[in-house]
Amino acid sequence: MSGTVMISKPTPPRAVFRIWRGDAGGGTFQDYPTAIDQGMVVLDAIHRIQAEQAPDLAVRWNCKAGKCGSCSAEINGMPKLMCMTRLSELNLDMPVIIEPMHAFPSIRDLVTDVSWNFAVKKQIKKFSPRLPDAEDGTWRMQQVDVDRVQEFRKCIECFLCQDVCHVLREHHKHEEFIGPRFLVYTAALEMHPLDTADRVPDLKNKNGIGYCNITTCCRQVCPEGITITENAIIPLKERVVDNFFDPLKKLFHIL
Amino acid sequence: MAAPDILWQNGRFGQTSRRDKWWLEPLLVFLGLGAFLAYANWAAFQGKYYTAGPYISPFYSPEIWGDSPHAWFHGRPSWYPSFLPFSPAFLILWIPGLFRLTCYYYRGAYYKAFWADPMACAVGEPRKSYRGEKTLPLVAQNFHRYFLRLSYIVWFFLLIDAVESFWFDGHFGIGLGSLVLSANVILIAGYVFGCHAFRHLVGGSIDQISKHPVRHQLYDCVSCLNSRHKKWAWASLVSVGFSDIYVRLCSMGIWTDWRIF
């Protein structure tokens, strides 16, 4: 039996990216089918779409290494860094939905205005160290004392935790609640072995820690793997309990 | 701090772009906790079949007032209102019940599964108003550590029960029930002593823990348990329910305790 074997050039795999296009006034989703290559991350696909189909597509990015926290977005409904989300992790049989963060004002397309966060940070009591331990104006700390706060210093301020927190995202309590990012920031200061300032009354009254109902969503989306809920927020809630809800501990020093 | 002008508002209940099975975990929690609550209430209202030989159900221990040989005082307390149904479990079960109700893990779990607040991360909620744990009634969650302190005591009596479960008519022995009650007291210890509030009380409140070496060691141990608090919470919930079922079945004669030694 004889015949002709047809060999066609293999077509590169393709995927559809359903991207939110719009600004502060509103917007809509547009589909962008595009070729994909092995090893690509979502941000690579966005750059390819920008280069080949939508040069006016707005996206904020910088390091492409998961360290600058610029390319935060929502990929298939979950807050993620676009540069750290591999296409191989996603189901490409369906359009990949890419949206800007919902908890902040939209500027354009995938870019949001996160300046509210910087204003919140300024309101938190600054680091206030005790008097220096040595005459040369330096301090001495044990490593075990700083171990706990070092975890919090890994934060890259991508604000994904702020975005997923339902207190901000769903209930828009921006005026009363500082969000998980700044509870982590407060924890880093409050638990610091040299710090002398007391931020606990602010946590209860100004910063709205009572709004947190421990969904652990912030911890689940943190690209740095900071144990936000268990190591920062709950210990701060317990400090609020020490000050305002537990006279027995103060009176009898009991466990 | 002035609120920014957010475009994404007034989402519908359940609205999300998530493509994964986000509904599965809250559904399993709803079914698991719902089944336990239904069984625990039924078992507490029975008021009988809660002891079998040296075994006593953890739902009924310590039995302060009751009719079994394990009871400290016989009968029903005189101060207890006569028009209310009585069971020895009513005097005890509220302690572990409120401890679990105010537990940080369970709070996060049942707010999602029973109150959809939110049902899952980045999923639209049914209600637009929200007060969190800032005001009554949920501000009372801050009293978790009081129930923790009472739970130390209840756990201590469960430990005594586990030890006594190895004594059959004055002789040492090992029954399957002895192992069930011993496993239960170990799993409850993992849950109670891995509690977030306990972690804070033993060392979390101290910023220079290097000056307290004993508490530092304790803090590390509790932190280790705490990192798996969710697993301890579920394992101990299942074990406490199973222990009651085991003792109940033995007491009713449906199951004969297997004596290993």
Side-chain angles (χ1 to χ4, degrees), chain B residues 165-187:
Chain B
S165 73
F166 289 90
W167 292 94
F168 296 83
D169 298 323
H171 300 286
F172 179 77
I174 302 173
L176 186 56
S178 318
L179 302 182
V180 168
L181 294 183
S182 300
N184 181 52
V185 82
I186 291 168
L187 292 171

Side-chain angles (χ1 to χ4, degrees), chain B:
Chain B
M1 180 55 55
D5 190 14
I6 310 288
L7 177 65
W8 311 84
Q9 300 209 18
N10 303 316
R12 285 175 286 108
F13 175 41
Q15 187 175 344
T16 183
S17 300
R18 286 181 66 169
R19 290 265 173 78
D20 57 335
K21 293 188 179 76
W22 56 265
W23 43 268
L24 185 60
E25 187 172 338
L27 177 65
L28 291 176
V29 169
F30 180 82
L31 293 175
L33 285 183
F36 180 83
L37 279 173
Y39 176 75
N41 275 287
W42 176 84
F45 271 91
Q46 293 307 298
K48 54 186 179 181
Y49 301 124
Y50 56 86
T51 65
Y55 307 149
I56 178 168
S57 161
F59 286 172
Y60 284 77
S61 179
E63 187 184 1
I64 304 171
W65 273 277
D67 296 326
S68 89
H70 294 262
W72 299 353
F73 304 105
H74 191 70
R76 182 181 169 128
S78 56
W79 48 263
Y80 195 86
S82 57
F83 58 90
L84 289 178
F86 176 74
S87 161
F90 294 165
L91 303 179
I92 288 302
L93 211 49
W94 61 273
I95 296 172
L98 288 173
F99 178 61
R100 287 188 191 258
L101 187 76
T102 56
C103 159
Y104 283 103
Y105 163 68
Y106 283 116
R107 273 145 74 176
Y110 68 70
Y111 287 145
K112 287 178 182 161
F114 287 79
W115 200 239
D117 207 8
M119 204 179 337
C121 306
V123 174
E125 294 176 26
R127 292 166 299 275
K128 295 302 156 200
S129 65
Y130 179 74
R131 292 186 295 175
E133 297 179 345
K134 263 179 82 78
T135 55
L136 280 170
L138 295 182
V139 73
Q141 303 279 29
N142 288 309
F143 296 118
H144 179 52
R145 64 174 64 166
Y146 287 91
F147 303 118
L148 166 70
R149 288 162 183 155
L150 292 170
S151 293
Y152 304 151
I153 300 166
V154 172
W155 178 82
F156 177 73
F157 284 107
L158 293 182
L159 179 65
I160 292 172
D161 292 342
V163 172
E164 288 182 348
S165 73
F166 289 90
W167 292 94
F168 296 83
D169 298 323
H171 300 286
F172 179 77
I174 302 173
L176 186 56
S178 318
L179 302 182
V180 168
L181 294 183
S182 300
N184 181 52
V185 82
I186 291 168
L187 292 171
I188 290 179
Y191 173 58
V192 170
F193 299 109
C195 163
H196 294 87
F198 189 62
R199 185 183 183 219
H200 174 77
L201 291 169
V202 297
S205 57
I206 303 167
D207 293 337
Q208 295 184 66
I209 202 157
S210 59
K211 293 182 176 172
H212 307 267
V214 175
R215 291 180 77 166
H216 182 212
Q217 291 294 321
L218 263 175
Y219 178 75
D220 286 348
C221 292
V222 176
S223 296
C224 182
L225 289 174
N226 181 261
S227 64
R228 293 171 188 81
H229 198 51
K230 175 181 172 179
K231 289 178 182 167
W232 287 112
W234 280 104
S236 60
L237 193 78
V238 169
S239 82
V240 78
F242 181 75
S243 300
D244 181 84
I245 291 170
Y246 189 88
V247 173
R248 189 168 297 279
L249 292 180
C250 290
S251 177
M252 294 171 80
I254 297 171
W255 176 263
T256 306
D257 183 43
W258 182 39
R259 283 289 294 275
I260 300 164
F261 178 73

